[in-house]
Amino acid sequence: MATTISATAGGARRYGSRHRWVVLAVGVGAQGSFSAMFSGIPVTGIAMRSGYHLSTSALGIVLACLGLGVAVSDLVWGLLTDRYGDRRILLIGLTSTGAVLSLMAVAATPADGAGIVALGAGLLVAGALGGSVNGASGRAIMTWFADGERGLAMSIRQTAIPAGGAVGVALLPWLADVYGFRAVYALPSAFCLLAAAATWRWLHEPDQPPAPATAEAALGTGEKAGSGAGRAAEPGTGPAVEPGVGRSPLRRWDVWRLALSCALLTVPQFAVLSFTAIFLHDVKGGGATLASVTVLIAQIGGGAARIWTGRRTDRRGGRRAYLRGIGALTGIAMAAAAVLTGAPTPVTVAALAIGGLLANSWHGVAYTEIAAMAGAARAGTALGLLGTALFGAGFLTPLLIPAVLGHTSWPVVWALTAALSLLAIPLAPGRPRATGPAR
């Protein structure tokens, strides 16, 4: 494959292998644009509650609509991506998300007299349309990157979630206080439309179709089937493939097991990100600064860990073993937070920060593994299934924790997150067996 952009005899451009890094940059921009909205709008909650005259419970329902929109649409977007291609779906999703946010900036602000119905509906639709970036950008990376680089590439893309979220968290509350909600909706709208323009300009299919899923690709680099893995196939035989590759991911129990186990690992992630401030304020008398530092450690540390683990599993394999190990370590850290609730504040904060860091570190590996299990042709469906599971857990966690806390205590809350992390270990699929040579 050529390594530069060239033109064919008919005038069409050909995109060489180095263009994969441009595709990755487009995917990072798309994911970051959506994350700026998804993470930034909830942080405007105080101004939103006051401006729209909402009760605290009504505010919670409105903000939950954003995550619910992603949860109910992600799988559909994945199926559409496999059918129509990642470029088309990203263009539709990003453009329509930008349009909805622009409409909210014009007609759904407190100055327009908008109430809970208009606000909730707008956020639900924005989440449902914006969820297109999860499967479509991931499938583009699967198409352009070989298995030995996919873990790193997917992890870089996943790091756009906390990075884009940090931009939204830094800017949107300030805009709400200074300029109002027209600016709050207009800025992420501009981000989405710019990402759509970059998609139109630079996201294209590679000149060569992706290689068929092999045992190496399905198992993760280094998890090869048998001692002969990695050698050239004998004449007359094809590569050994993982049983099930080629079938719809929705009909494979091992794919469902991976998605559900990752959903369990999402609970401690959202618990730390969403409730650390409340816990530290109510139990430790801590202020917003202490909570921000704790969450910042979890976010930045988790983002760095995503890149490191993506590269490591590319080189050494063992993606499934890594996910099971993260389940164990996260469970231990959250159990420590439960036991140390009454300990000195720095000790408790350290346990929560470590638990949050671990719970934020596995996403790139999980997305790479589930896409490799499905194969590039069906990666959109698999990524959509995983996104639905994760955002579904993210939607339910803020509803579950207050209910548990109302009947028990904070140590029980943290112990519950530990138990769910440990439950993810047996639920996650083990190392698969490869078939014999394909005919």
Side-chain angles (χ1 to χ4, degrees):
M1 183 186 294
T3 58
T4 58
I5 299 177
S6 58
T8 63
R13 284 186 172 182
R14 296 176 59 87
Y15 293 87
S17 62
R18 282 191 291 190
H19 190 70
R20 69 191 188 279
W21 299 108
V22 177
V23 171
L24 176 58
V26 172
V28 167
Q31 195 79 59
S33 299
F34 171 69
S35 297
M37 174 195 71
F38 186 83
S39 298
I41 288 180
V43 185
T44 68
I46 295 175
M48 184 176 287
R49 183 175 61 179
S50 173
Y52 286 92
H53 306 291
L54 304 174
S55 65
T56 301
S57 59
L59 175 66
I61 293 173
V62 165
L63 295 180
C65 287
L66 195 56
L68 180 61
V70 182
V72 300
S73 68
D74 224 353
L75 179 56
V76 176
W77 282 120
L79 292 166
L80 292 174
T81 298
D82 284 341
R83 181 169 183 177
Y84 296 108
D86 38 69
R87 184 175 190 269
R88 182 177 299 178
I89 296 303
L90 264 182
L91 283 172
I92 293 172
L94 289 168
T95 303
S96 58
T97 303
V100 168
L101 290 170
S102 295
L103 182 61
M104 292 182 68
V106 171
T109 68
D112 303 308
I116 184 174
V117 175
L119 179 60
L123 293 180
L124 179 69
V125 174
L129 295 173
S132 60
V133 306
N134 297 319
S137 62
R139 187 179 182 274
I141 292 171
M142 283 292 297
T143 302
W144 273 93
F145 283 82
D147 190 68
E149 293 180 326
R150 283 173 180 164
L152 174 63
M154 285 289 229
S155 296
I156 292 173
R157 187 202 72 146
Q158 288 303 112
T159 304
I161 295 177
V167 173
V169 168
L171 294 180
L172 297 193
W174 172 73
L175 289 175
D177 291 336
V178 177
Y179 298 102
F181 277 88
R182 294 198 196 280
V184 167
Y185 304 135
L187 182 65
S189 172
F191 286 161
C192 289
L193 294 176
L194 286 173
T199 299
W200 177 83
R201 175 63 180 84
W202 287 300
L203 183 59
H204 303 278
E205 295 289 333
D207 296 329
Q208 296 181 1
T214 64
E216 179 179 349
L219 301 175
T221 304
E223 286 183 346
K224 303 176 179 65
S227 59
R231 295 198 301 260
E234 296 178 3
T237 66
V241 297
E242 179 185 1
V245 169
R247 287 193 292 131
S248 170
L250 302 182
R251 300 177 61 187
R252 292 177 53 184
W253 175 230
D254 58 342
V255 173
W256 278 95
R257 284 178 62 185
L258 181 61
L260 293 174
S261 64
C262 290
L264 293 178
L265 289 176
T266 302
V267 175
Q269 175 194 4
F270 274 86
V272 171
L273 297 181
S274 301
F275 291 95
T276 293
I278 297 175
F279 164 73
L280 292 177
H281 177 272
D282 293 350
V283 177
K284 298 295 186 180
T289 300
L290 180 62
S292 297
V293 170
T294 306
V295 172
L296 193 63
I297 293 172
Q299 286 278 62
I300 295 178
R306 291 182 191 191
I307 296 177
W308 181 80
T309 55
R311 185 58 173 164
R312 178 181 175 85
T313 53
D314 277 344
R315 292 178 173 179
R316 300 189 180 184
R319 287 192 286 258
R320 300 186 189 185
Y322 169 78
L323 291 171
R324 292 193 296 272
I326 282 295
L329 293 175
T330 304
I332 293 171
M334 298 309 299
V339 172
L340 298 171
T341 299
T345 299
V347 177
T348 309
V349 166
L352 285 174
I354 293 172
L357 188 155
L358 292 168
N360 275 280
S361 67
W362 50 267
H363 298 71
V365 173
Y367 273 93
T368 305
E369 180 62 18
I370 202 167
M373 291 168 69
R378 296 182 181 270
T381 301
L383 292 170
L385 175 62
L386 180 57
T388 295
L390 301 190
F391 282 97
F395 168 71
L396 292 175
T397 300
L399 303 179
L400 172 66
I401 288 182
V404 173
L405 186 61
H407 293 86
T408 58
S409 62
W410 280 107
V412 176
V413 168
W414 302 132
L416 175 63
T417 64
L420 293 176
S421 300
L422 296 174
L423 183 61
I425 301 172
L427 181 58
R431 179 174 177 173
R433 295 177 300 171
T435 65
R439 295 183 180 180

